[in-house]
Amino acid sequence: MSTQRRQHGQRGQRRRRRIAIVGAGPGGLTLARVLHIHGIPSTVYELDASATARDQGGTLDLDEESGQRALLHAGLLEEFRPLSRPEGGELRLLGKDADTGFHIPPPRDGDGNDRPEIDRRVLKELLLGSLPEGTVRWGQKVRAIALGAAGPTLTLADGTTVAADVLVGADGAWSRVRPLLSEADPVYTGVSFVDGLLNDVDTRHPAVAELVGRGSMFALADEKGLFAQRNGGGRIRVYIAVKAPEEWSLSGLIDPADPAATRKRLLDLFPDWDEGLRALIADGDGPLVPRPIHALPTGHRWDRVPGVTLLGDAAHLMSPFAGAGANLAMLDGAELALALAAHDDLETALHAYETAMFPRAEAAATQSADHLVDFFRPDALRILRDAFTTMTAGGADR
């Protein structure tokens, strides 16, 4: 057989693979897109009824060596650039008196920024728009998963069964696929967030807009924090962060029927903080949402199970304090797709992907766990100021 005919047969074999992806987050969509680039179809099963069924969250800074590299493999890097916000690279580190402890100004025109920001919603629209119609099956809840001699089988909530040659769990922290591979469960980190939102900030909340700037702001003291990030569309997303028992944020703190009382309870946690910082809580427009922060064990791994693997939070859930979650998920998706495109044997492909993914995820999870501790030390402001000063090597205002 000629080399050309053999390669054509290999490509045909790969196109016939049944690849089921559970979860339409950045990682699962990147996987589907890079597979599509290589002529390999896949189907994404997503619990949400549509792409806009719920709030997609805040903004992401896509790292050059992970998120942007994944978009390069997806053929979307040039489309990403005009959608991103390089000015989101501004960083302000404040004390509870709102005095600036450290400042990285917005990049100037032509300076470049290797971690430009993009709203999660905009990134998702970019990825979804690059996929063939019907790739994502919306409103598909996975009720059960079975492993058999012929491979994994999904049972959906409507009773439909789906047989697959490759099943990928891209379904986040509480993955339904992960138990096929691992007994590990996410563990509470000891830190809880409450998420809030301010809209039309430049007009309605100009003092808050000035305080936060064009990117991210961290105010730290008393082993707690107020974090804010500028999103597109004139919005600022706020994260009220405290060390607390896991039950704290789920035991009556948030009362949807009485947002004023909820805000007062949160403000009482910051009694002697600057009023400008307290306005991040007091002036919020949207609902307040509790988010206890969980993580999988650092270095989470599993033995090879034929036809099944994980990516993103399903594989290596970590706290947000390394800024790595979405970046790693997208890189996972791209590299898994490239491995499936490069190898005829599925197990060889999955082994190659996991061999590269495990140490990369462990390094990021270690950094994330270390940073979580640093952010909630009594002297967190000094620790982070010193760390950022070292990282920027003189390129910021002190």
Short mmCIF file of all heavy atoms in Angstrom, two decimals, residues 7 9-21 31 34-36 38-45 150 152 162-168 307 335-351 353:
data_model
loop_
_atom_site.label_atom_id
_atom_site.label_comp_id
_atom_site.label_asym_id
_atom_site.label_seq_id
_atom_site.Cartn_x
_atom_site.Cartn_y
_atom_site.Cartn_z
N GLN A 7 -2.10 6.86 4.59
CA GLN A 7 -2.47 8.05 5.35
C GLN A 7 -3.95 8.37 5.18
O GLN A 7 -4.62 8.78 6.14
CB GLN A 7 -1.61 9.23 4.90
CG GLN A 7 -0.15 9.12 5.32
CD GLN A 7 0.69 10.23 4.75
OE1 GLN A 7 0.29 10.90 3.80
NE2 GLN A 7 1.88 10.42 5.32
N GLY A 9 -6.30 6.21 4.69
CA GLY A 9 -7.03 5.24 5.51
C GLY A 9 -6.98 5.59 6.97
O GLY A 9 -7.97 5.43 7.70
N GLN A 10 -5.84 6.10 7.43
CA GLN A 10 -5.72 6.49 8.83
C GLN A 10 -6.64 7.66 9.15
O GLN A 10 -7.30 7.68 10.19
CB GLN A 10 -4.27 6.85 9.14
CG GLN A 10 -3.33 5.65 9.13
CD GLN A 10 -1.86 6.06 9.17
OE1 GLN A 10 -1.54 7.23 8.98
NE2 GLN A 10 -0.99 5.10 9.36
N ARG A 11 -6.68 8.64 8.22
CA ARG A 11 -7.57 9.78 8.44
C ARG A 11 -9.03 9.34 8.48
O ARG A 11 -9.81 9.81 9.29
CB ARG A 11 -7.35 10.84 7.36
CG ARG A 11 -6.05 11.62 7.53
CD ARG A 11 -6.07 12.86 6.65
NE ARG A 11 -6.11 12.51 5.24
CZ ARG A 11 -5.04 12.34 4.47
NH1 ARG A 11 -3.83 12.48 4.97
NH2 ARG A 11 -5.17 12.05 3.19
N GLY A 12 -9.40 8.40 7.60
CA GLY A 12 -10.76 7.90 7.60
C GLY A 12 -11.10 7.18 8.89
O GLY A 12 -12.20 7.33 9.44
N GLN A 13 -10.13 6.42 9.41
CA GLN A 13 -10.34 5.72 10.68
C GLN A 13 -10.58 6.71 11.81
O GLN A 13 -11.46 6.52 12.66
CB GLN A 13 -9.12 4.85 10.99
CG GLN A 13 -9.20 4.10 12.31
CD GLN A 13 -7.92 3.31 12.58
OE1 GLN A 13 -7.09 3.15 11.70
NE2 GLN A 13 -7.80 2.83 13.80
N ARG A 14 -9.81 7.79 11.83
CA ARG A 14 -9.98 8.78 12.89
C ARG A 14 -11.31 9.50 12.76
O ARG A 14 -11.93 9.83 13.77
CB ARG A 14 -8.82 9.78 12.86
CG ARG A 14 -7.49 9.13 13.24
CD ARG A 14 -6.31 10.02 12.94
NE ARG A 14 -5.08 9.24 12.97
CZ ARG A 14 -3.95 9.59 12.39
NH1 ARG A 14 -3.88 10.72 11.72
NH2 ARG A 14 -2.89 8.82 12.45
N ARG A 15 -11.76 9.74 11.52
CA ARG A 15 -13.05 10.41 11.33
C ARG A 15 -14.21 9.53 11.80
O ARG A 15 -15.27 10.05 12.11
CB ARG A 15 -13.23 10.80 9.86
CG ARG A 15 -12.43 12.02 9.43
CD ARG A 15 -12.95 12.57 8.13
NE ARG A 15 -12.74 11.64 7.03
CZ ARG A 15 -11.67 11.63 6.25
NH1 ARG A 15 -10.70 12.52 6.43
NH2 ARG A 15 -11.55 10.76 5.27
N ARG A 16 -14.02 8.22 11.84
CA ARG A 16 -15.09 7.32 12.26
C ARG A 16 -15.15 7.14 13.77
O ARG A 16 -16.06 6.51 14.28
CB ARG A 16 -14.91 5.95 11.58
CG ARG A 16 -15.21 5.95 10.09
CD ARG A 16 -15.30 4.55 9.54
NE ARG A 16 -14.05 3.83 9.66
CZ ARG A 16 -13.08 3.85 8.74
NH1 ARG A 16 -13.23 4.57 7.64
NH2 ARG A 16 -11.96 3.16 8.91
N ARG A 17 -14.19 7.68 14.50
CA ARG A 17 -14.23 7.56 15.95
C ARG A 17 -15.44 8.31 16.52
O ARG A 17 -15.76 9.41 16.09
CB ARG A 17 -12.95 8.14 16.56
CG ARG A 17 -11.69 7.36 16.23
CD ARG A 17 -10.47 8.12 16.71
NE ARG A 17 -9.24 7.39 16.47
CZ ARG A 17 -8.02 7.90 16.61
NH1 ARG A 17 -7.88 9.16 16.99
NH2 ARG A 17 -6.95 7.17 16.37
N ARG A 18 -16.05 7.72 17.50
CA ARG A 18 -17.18 8.35 18.18
C ARG A 18 -16.62 9.04 19.44
O ARG A 18 -16.31 8.36 20.42
CB ARG A 18 -18.23 7.31 18.54
CG ARG A 18 -18.81 6.58 17.32
CD ARG A 18 -19.58 5.35 17.75
NE ARG A 18 -18.71 4.40 18.46
CZ ARG A 18 -19.14 3.29 19.04
NH1 ARG A 18 -20.43 2.97 19.02
NH2 ARG A 18 -18.30 2.48 19.67
N ILE A 19 -16.54 10.36 19.40
CA ILE A 19 -15.95 11.11 20.49
C ILE A 19 -17.05 11.92 21.17
O ILE A 19 -17.67 12.79 20.56
CB ILE A 19 -14.83 12.04 20.00
CG1 ILE A 19 -13.72 11.20 19.35
CG2 ILE A 19 -14.27 12.87 21.15
CD1 ILE A 19 -12.58 12.01 18.77
N ALA A 20 -17.29 11.59 22.43
CA ALA A 20 -18.32 12.27 23.22
C ALA A 20 -17.64 13.14 24.27
O ALA A 20 -16.81 12.65 25.05
CB ALA A 20 -19.23 11.24 23.89
N ILE A 21 -18.00 14.40 24.30
CA ILE A 21 -17.44 15.37 25.24
C ILE A 21 -18.58 15.82 26.14
O ILE A 21 -19.60 16.32 25.66
CB ILE A 21 -16.84 16.58 24.49
CG1 ILE A 21 -15.79 16.12 23.48
CG2 ILE A 21 -16.26 17.58 25.48
CD1 ILE A 21 -15.41 17.19 22.46
N LEU A 31 -11.53 21.58 22.66
CA LEU A 31 -11.31 20.21 22.17
C LEU A 31 -12.10 19.95 20.90
O LEU A 31 -11.56 19.47 19.90
CB LEU A 31 -11.70 19.22 23.27
CG LEU A 31 -11.78 17.74 22.88
CD1 LEU A 31 -10.45 17.24 22.34
CD2 LEU A 31 -12.23 16.90 24.07
N VAL A 34 -10.56 22.01 17.86
CA VAL A 34 -9.29 21.52 17.31
C VAL A 34 -9.50 20.17 16.63
O VAL A 34 -8.90 19.89 15.58
CB VAL A 34 -8.20 21.46 18.39
CG1 VAL A 34 -6.89 20.94 17.80
CG2 VAL A 34 -7.98 22.84 19.01
N LEU A 35 -10.38 19.33 17.17
CA LEU A 35 -10.73 18.09 16.46
C LEU A 35 -11.32 18.42 15.09
O LEU A 35 -10.97 17.80 14.08
CB LEU A 35 -11.72 17.28 17.28
CG LEU A 35 -11.17 16.56 18.52
CD1 LEU A 35 -12.33 15.98 19.34
CD2 LEU A 35 -10.19 15.46 18.13
N HIS A 36 -12.22 19.39 15.04
CA HIS A 36 -12.84 19.79 13.77
C HIS A 36 -11.79 20.27 12.77
O HIS A 36 -11.86 19.93 11.58
CB HIS A 36 -13.86 20.89 14.04
CG HIS A 36 -14.47 21.48 12.81
ND1 HIS A 36 -15.23 20.76 11.92
CD2 HIS A 36 -14.40 22.75 12.30
CE1 HIS A 36 -15.61 21.54 10.92
NE2 HIS A 36 -15.12 22.75 11.13
N HIS A 38 -8.93 19.22 12.43
CA HIS A 38 -8.23 18.03 11.93
C HIS A 38 -9.20 17.03 11.28
O HIS A 38 -8.81 15.87 11.04
CB HIS A 38 -7.44 17.37 13.05
CG HIS A 38 -6.24 18.17 13.46
ND1 HIS A 38 -5.00 18.01 12.87
CD2 HIS A 38 -6.10 19.17 14.37
CE1 HIS A 38 -4.14 18.87 13.41
NE2 HIS A 38 -4.78 19.58 14.32
N GLY A 39 -10.40 17.45 11.00
CA GLY A 39 -11.35 16.61 10.29
C GLY A 39 -11.96 15.50 11.12
O GLY A 39 -12.46 14.51 10.57
N ILE A 40 -11.94 15.66 12.44
CA ILE A 40 -12.47 14.62 13.34
C ILE A 40 -13.73 15.16 14.01
O ILE A 40 -13.66 16.12 14.78
CB ILE A 40 -11.43 14.24 14.41
CG1 ILE A 40 -10.13 13.77 13.76
CG2 ILE A 40 -11.99 13.16 15.34
CD1 ILE A 40 -8.99 13.56 14.74
N PRO A 41 -14.88 14.56 13.74
CA PRO A 41 -16.11 15.06 14.36
C PRO A 41 -16.21 14.64 15.83
O PRO A 41 -15.59 13.66 16.27
CB PRO A 41 -17.22 14.39 13.53
CG PRO A 41 -16.58 13.15 13.00
CD PRO A 41 -15.13 13.47 12.79
N SER A 42 -16.97 15.39 16.57
CA SER A 42 -17.25 15.07 17.97
C SER A 42 -18.61 15.63 18.32
O SER A 42 -19.18 16.44 17.58
CB SER A 42 -16.17 15.67 18.88
OG SER A 42 -16.19 17.09 18.82
N THR A 43 -19.13 15.20 19.46
CA THR A 43 -20.40 15.72 19.96
C THR A 43 -20.21 16.15 21.39
O THR A 43 -19.62 15.42 22.20
CB THR A 43 -21.51 14.66 19.87
OG1 THR A 43 -21.63 14.20 18.52
CG2 THR A 43 -22.84 15.26 20.30
N VAL A 44 -20.69 17.35 21.70
CA VAL A 44 -20.59 17.91 23.05
C VAL A 44 -21.97 17.86 23.69
O VAL A 44 -22.94 18.40 23.13
CB VAL A 44 -20.08 19.36 23.01
CG1 VAL A 44 -19.93 19.91 24.43
CG2 VAL A 44 -18.75 19.45 22.26
N TYR A 45 -22.07 17.24 24.86
CA TYR A 45 -23.32 17.14 25.60
C TYR A 45 -23.28 18.12 26.77
O TYR A 45 -22.41 18.02 27.64
CB TYR A 45 -23.54 15.71 26.09
CG TYR A 45 -23.64 14.73 24.96
CD1 TYR A 45 -22.50 14.09 24.47
CD2 TYR A 45 -24.87 14.48 24.33
CE1 TYR A 45 -22.58 13.21 23.39
CE2 TYR A 45 -24.96 13.61 23.26
CZ TYR A 45 -23.81 12.97 22.79
OH TYR A 45 -23.90 12.11 21.71
N ALA A 150 -17.21 -2.80 24.82
CA ALA A 150 -17.23 -2.02 23.59
C ALA A 150 -16.92 -0.55 23.83
O ALA A 150 -16.89 0.24 22.90
CB ALA A 150 -18.59 -2.16 22.92
N PRO A 152 -17.26 3.14 26.58
CA PRO A 152 -18.20 3.83 27.46
C PRO A 152 -19.53 4.13 26.78
O PRO A 152 -19.60 4.33 25.57
CB PRO A 152 -17.46 5.13 27.80
CG PRO A 152 -16.50 5.33 26.68
CD PRO A 152 -16.11 3.99 26.18
N VAL A 162 -25.90 6.71 24.38
CA VAL A 162 -24.89 7.17 23.43
C VAL A 162 -23.63 6.35 23.64
O VAL A 162 -23.02 6.40 24.72
CB VAL A 162 -24.57 8.67 23.61
CG1 VAL A 162 -23.47 9.10 22.65
CG2 VAL A 162 -25.82 9.52 23.44
N ALA A 163 -23.25 5.57 22.64
CA ALA A 163 -22.01 4.79 22.72
C ALA A 163 -20.86 5.63 22.18
O ALA A 163 -21.03 6.39 21.22
CB ALA A 163 -22.15 3.50 21.91
N ALA A 164 -19.70 5.50 22.81
CA ALA A 164 -18.54 6.30 22.40
C ALA A 164 -17.30 5.45 22.38
O ALA A 164 -17.18 4.46 23.12
CB ALA A 164 -18.35 7.47 23.37
N ASP A 165 -16.37 5.83 21.51
CA ASP A 165 -15.02 5.25 21.54
C ASP A 165 -14.15 6.00 22.51
O ASP A 165 -13.27 5.43 23.15
CB ASP A 165 -14.40 5.29 20.14
CG ASP A 165 -15.20 4.49 19.13
OD1 ASP A 165 -15.44 3.30 19.38
OD2 ASP A 165 -15.61 5.08 18.10
N VAL A 166 -14.39 7.32 22.61
CA VAL A 166 -13.67 8.16 23.57
C VAL A 166 -14.70 9.02 24.30
O VAL A 166 -15.52 9.68 23.66
CB VAL A 166 -12.65 9.08 22.87
CG1 VAL A 166 -11.95 9.98 23.90
CG2 VAL A 166 -11.62 8.27 22.11
N LEU A 167 -14.64 8.99 25.63
CA LEU A 167 -15.49 9.83 26.46
C LEU A 167 -14.59 10.79 27.23
O LEU A 167 -13.68 10.36 27.94
CB LEU A 167 -16.29 8.97 27.44
CG LEU A 167 -17.06 9.72 28.54
CD1 LEU A 167 -18.12 10.63 27.93
CD2 LEU A 167 -17.70 8.73 29.51
N VAL A 168 -14.87 12.08 27.09
CA VAL A 168 -14.06 13.11 27.75
C VAL A 168 -14.92 13.86 28.75
O VAL A 168 -15.93 14.46 28.37
CB VAL A 168 -13.47 14.10 26.72
CG1 VAL A 168 -12.58 15.13 27.44
CG2 VAL A 168 -12.67 13.36 25.66
N GLY A 307 -10.55 4.38 26.91
CA GLY A 307 -11.59 5.18 26.28
C GLY A 307 -12.10 6.35 27.08
O GLY A 307 -13.03 7.03 26.63
N GLU A 335 -4.46 20.03 23.36
CA GLU A 335 -3.45 18.97 23.32
C GLU A 335 -4.09 17.58 23.22
O GLU A 335 -3.54 16.68 22.58
CB GLU A 335 -2.53 19.07 24.52
CG GLU A 335 -1.66 20.33 24.47
CD GLU A 335 -0.40 20.21 25.30
OE1 GLU A 335 -0.35 19.34 26.19
OE2 GLU A 335 0.53 21.00 25.03
N LEU A 336 -5.25 17.41 23.84
CA LEU A 336 -5.95 16.13 23.68
C LEU A 336 -6.37 15.94 22.23
O LEU A 336 -6.22 14.85 21.66
CB LEU A 336 -7.16 16.10 24.61
CG LEU A 336 -8.08 14.88 24.50
CD1 LEU A 336 -7.29 13.57 24.64
CD2 LEU A 336 -9.20 14.95 25.53
N ALA A 337 -6.89 16.98 21.61
CA ALA A 337 -7.29 16.88 20.20
C ALA A 337 -6.09 16.57 19.31
O ALA A 337 -6.18 15.73 18.40
CB ALA A 337 -7.94 18.19 19.76
N LEU A 338 -4.96 17.22 19.57
CA LEU A 338 -3.77 16.97 18.76
C LEU A 338 -3.29 15.54 18.94
O LEU A 338 -2.83 14.90 17.97
CB LEU A 338 -2.67 17.96 19.15
CG LEU A 338 -2.94 19.43 18.80
CD1 LEU A 338 -1.85 20.32 19.38
CD2 LEU A 338 -3.03 19.63 17.29
N ALA A 339 -3.37 15.02 20.16
CA ALA A 339 -2.96 13.63 20.39
C ALA A 339 -3.88 12.66 19.66
O ALA A 339 -3.41 11.68 19.05
CB ALA A 339 -2.95 13.33 21.89
N LEU A 340 -5.19 12.91 19.69
CA LEU A 340 -6.12 12.04 18.98
C LEU A 340 -5.92 12.11 17.47
O LEU A 340 -6.12 11.13 16.76
CB LEU A 340 -7.56 12.43 19.34
CG LEU A 340 -7.99 12.09 20.77
CD1 LEU A 340 -9.31 12.78 21.11
CD2 LEU A 340 -8.12 10.58 20.95
N ALA A 341 -5.53 13.28 16.98
CA ALA A 341 -5.27 13.43 15.55
C ALA A 341 -3.96 12.77 15.14
O ALA A 341 -3.80 12.35 13.98
CB ALA A 341 -5.24 14.91 15.18
N ALA A 342 -3.01 12.67 16.06
CA ALA A 342 -1.67 12.18 15.72
C ALA A 342 -1.51 10.67 15.82
O ALA A 342 -0.61 10.09 15.21
CB ALA A 342 -0.63 12.85 16.62
N HIS A 343 -2.38 10.01 16.59
CA HIS A 343 -2.20 8.58 16.88
C HIS A 343 -3.38 7.76 16.38
O HIS A 343 -4.53 8.09 16.63
CB HIS A 343 -2.03 8.36 18.39
CG HIS A 343 -0.82 9.02 18.96
ND1 HIS A 343 0.47 8.52 18.82
CD2 HIS A 343 -0.69 10.16 19.69
CE1 HIS A 343 1.32 9.31 19.43
NE2 HIS A 343 0.66 10.32 19.97
N ASP A 344 -3.06 6.65 15.71
CA ASP A 344 -4.12 5.73 15.29
C ASP A 344 -4.72 5.01 16.48
O ASP A 344 -5.93 4.78 16.53
CB ASP A 344 -3.55 4.69 14.31
CG ASP A 344 -3.10 5.32 13.01
OD1 ASP A 344 -3.68 6.35 12.63
OD2 ASP A 344 -2.15 4.80 12.39
N ASP A 345 -3.88 4.63 17.43
CA ASP A 345 -4.34 3.88 18.59
C ASP A 345 -4.86 4.86 19.65
O ASP A 345 -4.13 5.76 20.10
CB ASP A 345 -3.20 3.04 19.16
CG ASP A 345 -3.65 2.24 20.37
OD1 ASP A 345 -4.43 1.29 20.18
OD2 ASP A 345 -3.24 2.59 21.49
N LEU A 346 -6.10 4.68 20.07
CA LEU A 346 -6.72 5.62 21.01
C LEU A 346 -6.01 5.64 22.35
O LEU A 346 -5.80 6.70 22.94
CB LEU A 346 -8.19 5.26 21.22
CG LEU A 346 -9.12 5.53 20.04
CD1 LEU A 346 -10.53 5.03 20.34
CD2 LEU A 346 -9.16 7.02 19.71
N GLU A 347 -5.62 4.47 22.85
CA GLU A 347 -4.98 4.43 24.16
C GLU A 347 -3.60 5.10 24.13
O GLU A 347 -3.19 5.74 25.09
CB GLU A 347 -4.86 2.99 24.65
CG GLU A 347 -6.19 2.40 25.09
CD GLU A 347 -6.90 3.30 26.11
OE1 GLU A 347 -6.34 3.52 27.20
OE2 GLU A 347 -8.00 3.81 25.81
N THR A 348 -2.90 4.97 23.01
CA THR A 348 -1.63 5.69 22.86
C THR A 348 -1.87 7.19 22.91
O THR A 348 -1.13 7.94 23.57
CB THR A 348 -0.96 5.31 21.54
OG1 THR A 348 -0.69 3.91 21.52
CG2 THR A 348 0.36 6.06 21.35
N ALA A 349 -2.94 7.65 22.26
CA ALA A 349 -3.26 9.08 22.24
C ALA A 349 -3.61 9.57 23.65
O ALA A 349 -3.11 10.61 24.10
CB ALA A 349 -4.42 9.34 21.29
N LEU A 350 -4.46 8.83 24.35
CA LEU A 350 -4.88 9.27 25.68
C LEU A 350 -3.72 9.22 26.67
O LEU A 350 -3.59 10.10 27.53
CB LEU A 350 -6.03 8.40 26.18
CG LEU A 350 -7.32 8.47 25.35
CD1 LEU A 350 -8.40 7.57 25.93
CD2 LEU A 350 -7.82 9.90 25.24
N HIS A 351 -2.87 8.22 26.54
CA HIS A 351 -1.68 8.14 27.41
C HIS A 351 -0.75 9.32 27.16
O HIS A 351 -0.22 9.93 28.11
CB HIS A 351 -0.95 6.83 27.17
CG HIS A 351 0.33 6.70 27.95
ND1 HIS A 351 0.37 6.47 29.31
CD2 HIS A 351 1.63 6.83 27.55
CE1 HIS A 351 1.62 6.44 29.72
NE2 HIS A 351 2.41 6.65 28.68
N TYR A 353 -1.50 12.29 26.00
CA TYR A 353 -2.13 13.50 26.54
C TYR A 353 -1.97 13.59 28.05
O TYR A 353 -1.54 14.62 28.60
CB TYR A 353 -3.61 13.52 26.15
CG TYR A 353 -4.46 14.37 27.05
CD1 TYR A 353 -4.34 15.76 27.06
CD2 TYR A 353 -5.39 13.78 27.92
CE1 TYR A 353 -5.11 16.54 27.91
CE2 TYR A 353 -6.17 14.55 28.77
CZ TYR A 353 -6.02 15.92 28.77
OH TYR A 353 -6.78 16.69 29.61
#
